[in-house]
Amino acid sequence: MSRATTIAVLGGGNGAFAAAADLTLRGFSVRLLEVPELAAETITPVRERGALELLAPDLSGVASGPAVIDVITDRVEEAVVGAEIVLYVVPAFAERRFSEWCLPYFHPDQLVVLFCGNFGGALELAGLFNSQSLPTPLIAEVEGLVYSAVKQGPTAVRVSGIKAGLACAALPAQRTHEALERVLRLFPGFQAAANVLETSLRNLNPVLHVPVSVTNAGRTSADKPKWRFYWDGVTEPVGRLVQQVDSERLSVGRAIDLDLPSALDVLLSWYGHQGARGSTIAEAMSTNPAYEIAWAPETLAHRFITEDVPFGLVPIEALASSVGIPTPTIGALITLSSQLLDVDFRARGRNLAHLGIEGLSREQVRHLVEKGSASGNTAFF
């Protein structure tokens, strides 16, 4: 694979803009793909301007400047056909829309990487290929998005942080080394995870976002003063709630033989090189320089709840129940979020059936994510 690797970036949000611009400025050939119903709002201004401006002041290793993206389109074949690597940089709730749209155009030789799948993104995508009896590309899942980024108008994006040492696994895990060989050309700091259950459980978005959103519900409104989500929203009591959610996440991991790092350790490993510090989760979240410009949403109907509850906490609760692990704090946050938004997130969220692991024993689930089959006989991927 040459330095001119062709990459399709799916999405039109903060992360997709950051990835498309950064990879372009680093010499890769990038195609940016957005769904037609959102294209006018997200990618058309960039296409009309002719470039996407990347702003990365005082951030070592990230270039600032105009990035002329090779292809900016809402036509799937223009972006996906012939791309060597396809990056999903979309919220979990948008993944199925992109997957069903792109499915006929994927090729077995491609590497497809999910960055924001929350819990079970890779499993759900593989299940779609299986349900339609289509050849499956090499699928990989990363524990989170590389960039901390915020759009600065319709044609610019500011990157305030770059995560180091993100965990990545292929589905099946026996192909992780193969996936890493390819993706490390784009993101050199990635490390191998045991499997996609580990990357799913290492995704900290539901652990961090939901408790802060729920406890700050009273100040989350367009007619309230602006506040910074982490720097202002995470007091020590809120940090203790985050810690309890994290403890339940770690217990679920242990029940399926995964020794996961704590949220505090992960935050310090991601951002320690940029000045993150702290002996408590509250301190690490409320002083992290990468979070300084992370302004809180002006509504609770935001992905910090609408994505991270149904695609994060709901499947974690379901998995925990299947292995006999109590998750009272996670359960309470799901219930409170549902009441705050008048939405039944348990009914709408990913369940074990969606992920193809309902009714499987721990051993069968482990065999599925590591070998690509539940029993050693029937191949899923």
Side-chain angles (χ1 to χ4, degrees):
M1 198 178 299
S2 70
R3 184 65 176 162
T5 298
T6 301
I7 303 160
V9 176
L10 310 188
N14 301 321
F17 273 26
D22 177 48
L23 292 169
T24 294
L25 291 174
R26 289 198 280 125
F28 296 98
S29 175
V30 174
R31 305 166 179 179
L32 182 62
L33 176 67
E34 177 65 289
V35 290
E37 61 267 27
L38 296 178
E41 176 185 352
T42 59
I43 63 171
T44 296
V46 181
R47 186 162 44 194
E48 291 174 347
R49 180 189 174 189
L52 179 58
E53 189 76 19
L54 180 62
L55 309 172
D58 306 317
L59 189 59
S60 176
V62 180
S64 292
V68 181
I69 314 299
D70 284 347
V71 176
I72 302 172
T73 184
D74 60 358
R75 293 172 56 86
V76 62
E77 63 274 17
E78 291 181 354
V80 173
V81 174
E84 296 162 79
I85 300 176
V86 179
L87 307 181
Y88 274 67
V89 195
V90 300
F93 55 74
E95 286 177 346
R96 194 173 187 93
R97 168 70 175 92
F98 274 92
S99 295
E100 291 175 344
W101 186 38
C102 296
L103 215 63
Y105 299 93
F106 285 127
H107 190 276
D109 291 338
Q110 290 176 317
L111 170 65
V112 178
V113 185
L114 288 86
F115 279 96
C116 309
N118 226 308
F119 189 99
L123 283 165
E124 185 175 72
L125 176 58
L128 285 174
F129 280 103
N130 184 55
S131 68
Q132 299 194 28
S133 301
L134 291 171
T136 305
L138 177 55
I139 299 172
E141 182 176 276
V142 184
E143 65 178 297
L145 183 60
V146 177
Y147 307 93
S148 292
V150 178
K151 286 185 181 180
Q152 306 288 292
T155 63
V157 62
R158 179 179 175 183
V159 176
S160 61
I162 295 287
K163 298 184 182 75
L166 285 170
C168 176
L171 181 63
Q174 62 186 9
R175 299 187 68 186
T176 294
H177 179 72
E178 178 185 349
L180 276 176
E181 279 191 330
R182 299 173 69 176
V183 80
L184 284 173
R185 292 182 177 272
L186 279 59
F187 305 107
F190 282 10
Q191 301 178 13
N195 52 52
V196 295
L197 290 177
E198 179 177 353
T199 53
S200 286
L201 282 170
R202 284 178 63 118
N203 189 312
L204 293 186
N205 284 349
V207 175
L208 306 182
H209 294 161
V210 182
V212 181
S213 297
V214 169
T215 53
N216 286 275
R219 70 199 300 190
T220 304
S221 175
D223 61 357
K224 301 287 187 182
K226 288 181 63 175
W227 56 284
R228 291 172 295 185
F229 189 78
Y230 302 99
W231 277 38
D232 301 326
V234 184
T235 60
E236 281 296 333
V238 174
R240 287 196 295 271
L241 183 62
V242 173
Q243 180 62 56
Q244 185 56 41
V245 175
D246 193 48
S247 295
E248 293 177 5
R249 175 188 70 95
L250 297 176
S251 295
V252 176
R254 286 191 293 271
I256 57 174
D257 302 320
L258 292 173
D259 184 18
L260 303 170
S262 70
L264 175 59
D265 288 342
V266 171
L267 284 175
L268 295 179
S269 69
W270 283 351
Y271 295 117
H273 65 293
Q274 291 178 223
R277 56 178 176 77
S279 58
T280 67
I281 192 72
E283 186 180 4
M285 292 174 71
S286 64
T287 63
N288 182 359
Y291 290 159
E292 184 176 3
I293 64 167
W295 293 98
E298 296 183 344
T299 173
L300 289 174
H302 182 271
R303 66 179 181 84
F304 285 178
I305 289 182
T306 59
E307 176 184 14
D308 292 332
V309 174
F311 297 94
L313 295 188
V314 167
I316 291 174
E317 181 187 54
L319 179 61
S321 178
S322 75
V323 295
I325 299 298
T327 52
T329 308
I330 288 175
L333 287 169
I334 295 171
T335 298
L336 287 170
S337 297
S338 297
Q339 292 170 340
L340 286 167
L341 273 70
D342 195 22
V343 174
D344 187 346
F345 283 121
R346 286 188 176 88
R348 293 193 180 189
R350 277 184 183 146
N351 56 40
L352 302 189
H354 293 150
L355 305 182
I357 59 176
E358 185 176 45
L360 299 184
S361 67
R362 299 183 199 191
E363 292 73 22
Q364 287 176 314
V365 171
R366 175 58 70 93
H367 206 282
L368 173 64
V369 297
E370 292 185 353
K371 306 295 184 183
S373 69
S375 63
N377 297 317
T378 303
F380 281 28
F381 320 119

